[in-house]
């Protein structure tokens, strides 16, 4: 939870040469290789592009290739149309990228990962047991630039086949997209024709025979004109891109795949790829292959000219460059979701600076961002935390979409007949490790811990092979070596929140089973299979033979499935109990809500404090129950089903019922503000309004005082509570750093409040426009409105009085220390009679003089319902205070005016109210000014004590004098 960018595997579909179709969410994720296509000229100047560590642009064609091989007019036009179609197809953004703004384009944020050249001998060398450490580049093999991939090798031999391999999340798809689009915009001049193939697409065709020309023509219709030239030139000047070779089962033995040089001869797609790689078909064509490490051996090394390992962002400067480009997009603010939505309060440049400092000082987050995928996740999380949130987007959906971008359509091993989903295998193994960590409250894992979860239940040779593939391809995606002092030699989840996500996924998928559950399920299934036949036989025997025990056995057979059902139900209740207890766990020094914790860990702000006596290894997993709720939402379940991790509707219903039952018992307790926000965030992630409405129907007080209400938190509260029907007795939003946009977002909740506290929020005159609209709303129920310590000024009060004039519910209004001045009090005095319901008005500490204060006091005395007017701590003279005291004590009805601690020779009955306000606001008020007012009040007390002869009054006055002197002593420190 203390602190992701990769794109999903592509699936080219047929019809790429047809007319462009509108984007569709159901289109396979080729669209993640996106390149914006602007303007009418496809080869005009592209958008700003940042090549790093080399570029495929400007590559010189191989020597000897002097004239164009496809030089005819018809062929040239066909290739140009092919370029346009590719550019149009690759410009389509997945939904996960659209959150960054309507004009966001991936080419503006592209940073090339490091590519390290490797040798066949190095590939054959046994890897480390856990394959987590990244081996340094051997001497003499510097990083490769994209423009150097097809350069002659060290011996001067031409390179025609390049294999790029990398673990999940290192950026293989992005590199391929970049090369394809470089060619589309004529920045890759070494090749006259580029033909990309997705091996996932080819594998879906099965063994059905088709020629290479048919495969090309079906996918790239304009190239029909070029196919005869392709065969005649033996592929000279062409580049085939084969992405995701691990999806194809290749057999290079002659007995399995015969030789074929004719591109028009129908064969199985795998056979065509084998002959292309053999250089038996189109021997002059160049080939770029991308694959996961486990599938490198499927191509014999004699057919490969160069191997390149994609190493991700091994340089911190690459990570900083990526974050700078991604977070400084111009349309990541309100333009992304329309007018009227507030822009992010944290400026992008500040976020980038804070993130850069954290990368330099916090080595664990730098270790995570070694994978470009996690750079994307960091940016998406920061965007979620600091920018306006699109409808329906949740933190759980970000993590689920992140996994879809990396694992969509991925099988663990295409050679295994089980065709097991890579994500399903990760949920079973890494989810088990994550849940055991949550259960034992630890985030650091030894090598034995990792081995125990990976090898649990592995018995057959096929299972060991699957484990080997997972270790080589995906283990580094989930686990990273810990680089924190004191924990070297251990492993942590690459991002801490991923541990809680996988633990929650492990639970909701039903992968955690006790021994009783496993045995009970097997027995219940066995009894279920034979139960009907045995029951029939026992029924017949019971009629023929006088055996009294048979009816008993007959009934026991019916009971067994019910008993197992109860065991499962008890297990769900136990999980719900553990989840709820984690959500309501008391942490005396754990004061931040989970959203602030995530932002602080990413940006490097100091995290939550621990109790001095608490063991240092103790961890709190507050995101775990939140992710459990989020994974039960319909959207996340649909995405997980695509990843091979389906969650049954019946399981969702039973889990929801168990959670509701536990929340009904514990959800009524009064929670601290930060914990209450976490509770609301759980409901927001769950995305079930009916469930939330039933569980939160008992909530009567919303106390979020001191919680920094960002746009996201305002959206969370409004989404969860905005549709409720019952009134809220009190909504306390004091010291929440609210702004006018936050008030507008929270309007549905504020309309249900009877008491509304908005103190200490720096709300200015512009916020009074929204407050006026709130007071004038026909559903407004507010009776008490506290606006103290906000710089409303007279301009703001001019708007507020309009709301007061049309409001019929407000009875208590506090404008204490709001900068009204004389003009503000005069406006109130002139408009006060337009409201007939107000009972108490507090305008103390507003810098008003005698004239304005006296005018308001006289208007208050004439008001039909006003009972109390607070005027103390204004700039009143001794004479003015005396006039106000006389006016307040006059008979004849009307409001009482409180301007001092005394009333004549006696103590005012509101002295504790006045001193209480001073005590509460000592840290925010001007100390010099408060001291001066207290000294004046002390003088009034001394004068009154000298003027009275009654001992009990003297005692009261002395007591109040002691309270004032105590406050003056507190103010004796440095002046603000």
């Amino acid at each position: 939870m203390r602190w992701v960018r990769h794109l999903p595997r592509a699936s080219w579909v047929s019809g790429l040469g047809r007319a462009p179709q509108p984007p569709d969410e159901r289109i396979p994720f080729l669209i993640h290789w996106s390149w914006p296509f602007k303007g009418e000229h496809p080869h005009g100047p592209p958008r700003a592009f940042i090549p790093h560590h080399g570029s495929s642009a400007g590559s010189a064609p191989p020597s000897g290739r002097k004239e164009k091989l496809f030089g005819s007019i018809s062929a040239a036009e066909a290739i140009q149309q092919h370029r346009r179609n590719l550019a149009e197809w690759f410009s389509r953004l997945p939904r996960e990228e659209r959150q960054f703004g309507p004009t966001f384009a991936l080419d503006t944020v592209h940073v090339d990962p490091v590519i390290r050249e490797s040798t066949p001998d190095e590939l054959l060398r046994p890897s480390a047991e856990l394959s987590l450490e990244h081996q340094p580049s051997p001497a003499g093999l510097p990083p490769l630039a994209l423009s150097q991939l097809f350069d002659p090798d060290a011996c001067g031999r031409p390179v025609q086949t390049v294999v790029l391999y990398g673990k999940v999340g290192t950026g293989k798809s992005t590199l391929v997209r970049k090369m394809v689009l470089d060619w589309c915009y004529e920045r890759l001049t070494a090749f006259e024709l580029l033909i990309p193939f997705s091996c996932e697409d080819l594998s879906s065709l099965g063994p059905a025979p088709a020629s290479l020309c048919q495969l090309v023509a079906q996918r790239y219709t304009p190239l029909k004109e070029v196919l005869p030239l392709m065969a005649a030139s033996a592929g000279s000047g062409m580049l085939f891109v084969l992405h995701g070779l691990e999806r194809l089962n290749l057999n290079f033995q002659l007995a399995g795949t015969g030789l074929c040089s004719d591109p028009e001869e129908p064969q199985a797609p795998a056979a065509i790829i084998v002959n292309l790689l053999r250089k038996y078909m189109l021997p002059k064509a160049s080939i770029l292959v991308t694959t996961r490490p486990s599938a490198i051996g499927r191509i014999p090394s004699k057919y490969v000219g160069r191997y390149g390992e994609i190493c991700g962002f091994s340089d911190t400067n690459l990570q900083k460059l990526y974050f700078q480009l991604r977070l400084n997009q111009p349309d990541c603010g309100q333009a992304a979701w329309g007018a009227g939505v507030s822009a992010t309060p944290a400026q992008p440049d500040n976020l980038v600076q804070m993130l850069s400092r954290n990368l330099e000082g916090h080595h664990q987050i730098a270790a995570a961002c070694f994978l470009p995928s996690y750079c994307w996740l960091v940016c998406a999380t920061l965007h979620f935390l600091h920018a306006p949130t699109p409808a329906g987007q949740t933190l759980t959906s970000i993590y689920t979409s992140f996994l879809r971008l990396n694992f969509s359509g991925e099988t663990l091993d295409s050679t295994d007949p089980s065709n097991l989903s890579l994500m399903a295998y990760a949920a079973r193994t890494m989810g088990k490790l994550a849940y055991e960590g949550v259960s034992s409250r630890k985030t650091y894992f030894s090598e034995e811990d990792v081995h125990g979860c990976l090898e649990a239940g592995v018995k057959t040779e096929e299972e060991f092979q699957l484990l080997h593939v997972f270790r080589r391809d995906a283990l580094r995606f989930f686990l990273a070596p810990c680089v924190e002092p004191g924990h070297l030699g251990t492993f942590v989840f690459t991002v801490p929140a991923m541990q809680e996500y996988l633990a929650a996924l492990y639970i909701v998928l039903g992968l955690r089973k006790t021994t009783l559950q496993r045995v009970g399920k097997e027995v219940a299934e066995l009894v279920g299979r034979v139960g009907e036949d045995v029951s029939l036989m026992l029924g017949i025997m019971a009629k023929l033979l006088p055996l009294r025990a048979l009816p008993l056995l007959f009934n026991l057979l019916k009971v067994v499935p019910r008993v197992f059902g109860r065991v499962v139900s008890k297990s769900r209740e136990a999980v719900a109990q553990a989840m709820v207890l984690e959500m309501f766990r008391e942490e005396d020094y754990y004061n931040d809500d989970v959203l602030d914790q995530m932002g602080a860990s990413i940006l490097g702000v100091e995290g939550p404090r621990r109790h001095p006596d608490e063991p240092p290894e103790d961890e709190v997993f507050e995101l775990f129950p939140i992710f459990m709720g989020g994974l039960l939402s319909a959207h996340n379940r649909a995405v997980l089903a695509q990843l091979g991790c389906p969650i049954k509707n019946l399981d969702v219903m039973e889990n929801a019922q168990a959670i509701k039952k536990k929340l009904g018992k514990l959800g009524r307790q009064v929670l601290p503000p930060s914990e209450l926000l976490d509770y609301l965030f759980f409901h927001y992630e769950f995305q079930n309004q009916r469930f939330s409405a039933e569980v939160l129907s008992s909530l009567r007080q919303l106390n979020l005082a001191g919680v920094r209400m960002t746009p996201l938190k305002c959206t969370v509260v409004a989404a969860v509570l905005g549709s409720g029907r019952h009134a809220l007795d009190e909504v306390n939003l004091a010291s929440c750093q609210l702004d006018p946009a936050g008030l507008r977002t929270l309007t549905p909740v504020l309309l249900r409040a009877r008491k509304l506290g908005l103190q200490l929020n720096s709300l200015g005159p512009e916020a009074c426009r929204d407050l006026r609209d709130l007071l004038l709303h026909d559903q407004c129920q507010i009776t008490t409105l506290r606006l103290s310590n906000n710089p409303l000024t007279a301009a703001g009060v001019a708007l507020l009085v309009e709301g007061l004039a049309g409001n019929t519910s407000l009875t208590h209004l506090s404008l204490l220390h709001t900068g009204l001045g004389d003009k503000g009090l005069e406006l109130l005095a002139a408009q006060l009679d337009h409201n007939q319901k107000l009972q108490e008005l507090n305008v103390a500490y507003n810098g008003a003089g005698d004239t304005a204060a006296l005018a308001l006091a006289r208007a208050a005395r004439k008001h039909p319902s006003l009972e109390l007017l607070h005027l103390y701590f204004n700039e009143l003279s001794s004479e003015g205070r005396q006039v106000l005291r006389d006016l307040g004590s006059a008979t004849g009805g009307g409001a009482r005016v409180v301007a001092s601690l005394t009333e004549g020779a006696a103590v005012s009955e509101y002295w504790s109210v006045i001193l209480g306000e001073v005590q509460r606001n000592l840290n925010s008020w001007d100390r010099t000014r408060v001291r001066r007012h207290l000294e004046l009040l002390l003088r009034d007390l001394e004068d009154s004590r000298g003027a009275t002869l009654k001992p009990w009054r003297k005692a009261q006055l002395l007591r109040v004098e002691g309270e004032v002197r105590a406050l003056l002593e507190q103010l004796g420190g440095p002046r603000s």
Side-chain angles (χ1 to χ4, degrees):
M1 196 168 57
R2 290 163 298 203
W3 36 268
V4 296
R5 130 120 200 62
H6 188 50
L7 306 171
R9 299 295 180 268
S11 294
W12 281 285
V13 293
S14 59
L16 198 56
R18 301 172 188 166
Q21 301 178 7
D24 193 327
E25 298 298 338
R26 296 168 293 178
I27 294 176
F29 265 63
L30 163 69
I31 48 182
H32 71 273
W33 286 342
S34 305
W35 195 282
F37 183 74
K38 302 292 182 182
E40 299 180 356
H41 303 285
H43 313 303
R47 298 171 65 93
F49 187 20
I50 307 294
H52 196 80
H53 277 280
S55 171
S56 55
S59 301
S63 59
R65 195 178 297 165
K66 301 297 183 184
E67 59 182 17
K68 286 186 175 292
L69 300 172
F70 306 103
S72 65
I73 297 177
S74 59
E77 291 178 351
I79 292 176
Q80 293 299 324
Q81 183 61 43
H82 178 55
R83 293 181 195 268
R84 286 192 290 268
N85 289 347
L86 280 181
E88 172 64 26
W89 181 254
F90 281 89
S91 66
R92 300 179 182 181
L93 288 173
R95 183 180 61 253
E96 287 81 2
E97 296 290 5
R98 295 177 205 156
Q99 63 176 309
F100 292 101
T103 62
F104 173 79
L106 290 175
D107 64 317
T108 63
V109 298
H110 180 80
V111 179
D112 289 343
V114 174
I115 303 175
R116 180 180 64 87
E117 185 172 3
S118 56
T119 63
D121 293 338
E122 186 181 344
L123 297 177
L124 294 174
R125 188 181 306 133
S127 60
E129 184 66 19
L130 287 177
S131 300
L132 288 176
E133 298 284 358
H134 176 66
Q135 300 299 324
S137 175
L141 291 177
L144 281 172
L146 289 182
S147 59
Q148 301 170 330
L149 291 180
F150 290 94
D151 286 355
D153 62 12
C155 299
R157 291 174 300 209
V159 173
Q160 286 186 289
T161 302
V162 176
V163 174
L164 295 179
Y165 65 95
K167 298 177 175 63
V168 175
T170 52
K172 300 183 294 294
S173 302
T174 308
L175 274 180
V176 171
R177 178 188 62 83
K178 179 181 182 299
M179 290 198 70
V180 171
L181 271 299
D182 273 354
W183 181 81
C184 286
Y185 291 103
E186 296 186 354
R187 292 195 293 262
L188 181 58
T189 59
F191 305 101
E192 296 180 44
L193 179 61
L194 184 146
I195 300 177
F197 281 115
S198 166
C199 294
E200 181 182 358
D201 177 31
L202 296 179
S203 67
S204 67
L205 301 177
S211 68
L212 176 62
C213 292
Q214 288 174 334
L215 292 177
V216 173
Q218 288 173 358
R219 285 151 183 79
Y220 310 109
T221 306
L223 295 184
K224 289 181 179 180
E225 301 288 337
V226 182
L227 292 178
L229 298 176
M230 177 181 70
S233 65
S236 179
M238 296 178 58
L239 173 63
F240 286 95
V241 178
L242 306 177
H243 179 58
L245 187 74
E246 67 275 359
R247 299 303 300 268
L248 281 178
N249 297 326
L250 304 181
N251 188 348
F252 278 82
Q253 295 181 356
L254 290 176
T257 304
L259 298 175
C260 179
S261 61
D262 185 2
E264 296 185 0
E265 177 71 22
Q267 299 181 84
I272 294 175
I273 299 303
V274 167
N275 281 298
L276 280 174
L277 292 169
R278 284 172 173 168
K279 292 303 173 187
Y280 202 79
M281 183 184 293
L282 303 181
K284 296 183 179 180
S286 298
I287 302 174
L288 175 68
V289 178
T290 67
T291 183
R292 300 200 310 244
S294 63
I296 298 175
R298 297 185 187 181
I299 306 177
S301 59
K302 64 181 180 180
Y303 298 126
V304 179
R306 174 172 284 126
Y307 290 97
E309 180 183 6
I310 304 175
C311 300
F313 294 156
S314 56
D315 185 357
T316 306
N317 291 326
L318 294 181
Q319 301 171 9
K320 293 180 182 178
L321 178 61
Y322 179 91
F323 292 131
Q324 181 179 359
L325 295 174
R326 171 75 66 157
L327 295 175
N328 279 325
Q329 289 297 301
D331 289 318
C332 290
Q334 69 259 28
W337 299 284
V341 182
S342 66
T344 170
Q347 296 299 323
D349 52 351
N350 292 334
L351 291 178
V352 172
Q353 291 176 8
M354 296 174 71
L355 186 53
S356 297
R357 286 195 297 269
N358 198 26
L359 286 171
E360 295 170 358
H362 189 359
H363 301 294
Q364 198 61 55
I365 187 175
C369 294
F370 163 81
L371 293 175
S373 306
Y374 282 96
C375 293
W376 183 93
L377 183 56
V378 168
C379 289
T381 304
L382 284 177
H383 195 265
F384 174 71
L385 293 174
H386 295 282
T389 306
Q393 188 184 53
T394 64
L395 183 64
T396 312
S397 70
I398 288 178
Y399 275 75
T400 306
S401 298
F402 165 66
L403 294 176
R404 175 171 68 172
L405 290 173
N406 286 278
F407 294 97
S408 179
E410 289 289 329
T411 57
L412 184 57
D413 186 3
S414 61
T415 63
D416 186 75
S418 66
N419 203 31
L420 180 64
S421 160
L422 180 55
M423 189 61 228
Y425 191 89
R428 191 177 71 205
T429 54
M430 292 293 96
K432 177 179 174 61
L433 180 67
Y435 179 73
E436 289 182 357
V438 170
S439 300
S440 57
R441 317 203 69 77
K442 68 177 183 179
T443 57
Y444 303 98
F445 302 92
S446 66
E447 191 168 330
E448 290 74 19
D449 295 332
V450 179
H451 278 297
C453 289
L454 288 176
E455 298 175 2
V458 176
K459 299 177 181 179
T460 65
E461 181 64 27
E462 291 77 11
E463 291 173 340
F464 273 107
Q465 175 61 25
L466 293 177
L467 175 58
H468 173 71
V469 172
F470 181 77
R471 278 175 170 165
R472 292 202 67 184
D473 293 348
L475 185 58
R476 176 61 179 86
F477 182 85
F478 296 102
L479 291 181
C482 183
V483 296
E484 297 178 4
H487 296 283
L488 298 178
T490 62
F491 303 97
V492 296
F493 278 85
T494 312
V495 168
M498 183 59 73
Q499 177 182 352
E500 299 178 72
Y501 179 92
L502 290 174
L505 181 62
Y506 184 72
I507 294 300
V508 298
L509 289 176
L511 298 175
R512 176 184 175 271
K513 292 182 174 65
T514 63
T515 303
L516 178 61
Q517 285 179 284
R518 288 192 295 268
V519 174
K521 182 179 181 182
E522 294 174 359
V523 172
E525 290 177 352
L526 178 62
V527 172
R529 285 194 298 266
V530 301
E532 293 183 2
D533 297 335
V534 175
S535 298
L536 179 61
M537 293 177 60
L538 291 177
I540 295 173
M541 294 175 63
K543 293 180 179 179
L544 298 177
L545 300 175
L547 299 177
R548 298 180 179 179
L550 290 180
L552 178 61
L553 294 175
F554 178 78
N555 292 327
L556 284 176
L557 287 174
K558 295 181 179 180
V559 168
V560 170
R562 298 175 188 171
V563 171
F564 175 71
R566 287 184 174 274
V567 170
V568 174
S569 176
K570 290 293 183 182
S571 174
R572 297 191 190 282
E573 290 185 5
V575 171
Q577 176 77 7
M579 188 201 78
V580 173
L581 288 177
E582 184 67 49
M583 187 183 305
F584 296 109
R585 190 168 183 245
E586 295 182 3
E587 294 292 333
D588 294 337
Y589 289 84
Y590 202 75
N591 296 324
D592 293 334
D593 58 81
V594 291
L595 296 176
D596 277 352
Q597 292 170 40
M598 293 196 71
S601 61
I602 292 174
L603 299 175
V605 181
E606 184 180 355
R609 296 169 293 176
R610 284 196 175 105
H611 193 280
D613 299 328
E614 191 175 64
E617 65 273 7
D618 186 46
E619 297 286 346
V620 176
F621 299 94
E622 288 194 315
L623 274 178
F624 168 63
I626 292 173
F627 278 141
M628 277 191 64
L631 288 171
L632 295 178
S633 69
H635 169 74
N636 287 304
R637 285 190 286 121
V639 176
L640 288 171
Q642 299 173 15
L643 296 174
C645 301
I647 302 174
K648 298 178 181 179
N649 290 328
L650 181 60
D651 292 340
V652 173
M653 183 183 69
E654 292 177 350
N655 276 309
Q657 289 176 348
I659 294 171
K660 183 189 297 185
K661 182 178 178 181
K662 298 302 178 183
L663 286 179
K665 296 179 180 179
L666 296 176
R668 296 187 181 93
Q669 60 182 298
V670 178
L671 299 173
S674 60
E675 296 299 312
L676 178 57
L677 183 68
D678 292 344
Y679 182 43
L680 298 178
F681 188 53
F682 163 80
H683 287 278
Y684 177 77
E685 292 288 314
F686 200 5
Q687 295 284 295
N688 188 325
Q689 289 189 352
R690 180 179 177 182
F691 173 90
S692 299
E694 293 178 3
V695 174
L696 295 173
S697 60
S698 60
L699 182 67
R700 288 294 183 267
Q701 290 187 341
L702 181 64
N703 180 16
L704 297 176
V707 175
R708 185 172 59 92
M709 294 300 292
T710 62
L712 171 61
K713 295 176 188 177
C714 292
T715 301
V716 168
V717 175
V720 174
L721 297 177
S723 59
R725 298 180 181 275
H726 67 280
L728 297 171
D729 294 338
E730 183 175 3
V731 174
N732 187 356
L733 296 173
S735 302
C736 289
Q737 301 182 34
L738 271 175
D739 58 9
L743 287 177
R744 289 192 292 272
T745 303
L746 291 170
T747 295
V749 180
L750 303 184
L751 287 172
R752 296 168 49 199
R754 295 212 172 99
K755 294 182 180 180
L756 177 58
L758 296 173
Q759 312 94 296
L760 291 164
N761 275 296
S762 300
L763 297 174
E766 64 278 4
C768 292
R769 193 179 307 277
D770 301 294
L771 293 172
R772 176 198 62 186
D773 297 339
L774 180 67
L775 292 173
L776 292 176
H777 199 283
D778 56 356
Q779 297 180 7
C780 179
Q781 305 180 44
I782 300 174
T783 59
T784 301
L785 177 59
R786 304 186 187 95
L787 294 172
S788 56
N789 298 299
N790 286 294
L792 303 181
T793 71
V797 169
L799 296 169
L800 274 181
V801 293
E802 297 178 16
L804 288 174
N807 180 270
T808 58
S809 63
L810 191 66
T811 59
H812 295 72
L813 175 63
S814 175
L815 298 174
L816 170 73
H817 192 215
T818 51
L820 303 185
D822 289 338
K823 186 176 180 181
L825 265 64
E826 290 169 358
L827 282 170
L828 284 171
Q831 303 291 328
L832 193 60
D833 59 341
H834 293 170
N835 179 283
Q836 303 297 313
K837 298 292 184 179
L838 201 62
Q839 298 176 9
E840 182 177 348
L841 176 62
N842 189 340
V843 290
Y845 198 8
N846 272 293
D850 293 349
T851 304
L854 188 58
L856 180 58
R858 288 170 176 162
R861 293 284 295 177
K862 299 177 182 178
H863 195 276
S865 62
L866 195 63
E867 299 174 356
L868 188 61
L869 175 65
H870 300 261
L871 282 170
Y872 45 86
F873 277 25
N874 280 293
E875 301 302 319
L876 304 175
S877 63
S878 300
E879 295 78 9
R881 289 198 303 276
Q882 184 60 45
V883 172
L884 289 174
R885 280 197 294 268
D886 296 341
L887 185 64
S889 60
T891 58
R896 298 190 62 177
V897 180
V898 181
S900 178
L901 292 174
T902 59
E903 293 179 0
V907 176
S908 171
E909 62 180 287
Y910 298 102
W911 70 268
S912 59
V913 175
I914 297 174
L915 297 184
E917 290 286 359
V918 176
Q919 185 69 55
R920 280 191 296 271
N921 295 283
L922 274 181
N923 295 327
S924 60
W925 286 358
D926 182 355
R927 287 175 173 263
T928 303
R929 189 173 172 187
V930 172
R931 184 185 295 106
R932 178 166 53 84
H933 282 294
L934 286 176
E935 289 171 350
L936 291 174
L937 293 177
L938 184 61
R939 192 176 307 146
D940 287 344
L941 290 169
E942 292 172 345
D943 293 343
S944 297
R945 181 162 52 86
T948 184
L949 297 177
K950 298 180 180 179
W952 60 89
R953 284 189 178 178
K954 286 183 179 288
Q956 284 184 323
L957 291 166
L958 281 171
R959 177 191 172 191
V960 178
E961 284 182 37
E963 297 285 346
V964 174
R965 294 183 191 279
L967 287 174
L968 286 171
E969 288 180 4
Q970 292 185 40
L971 292 170
R975 299 183 179 182
S976 60

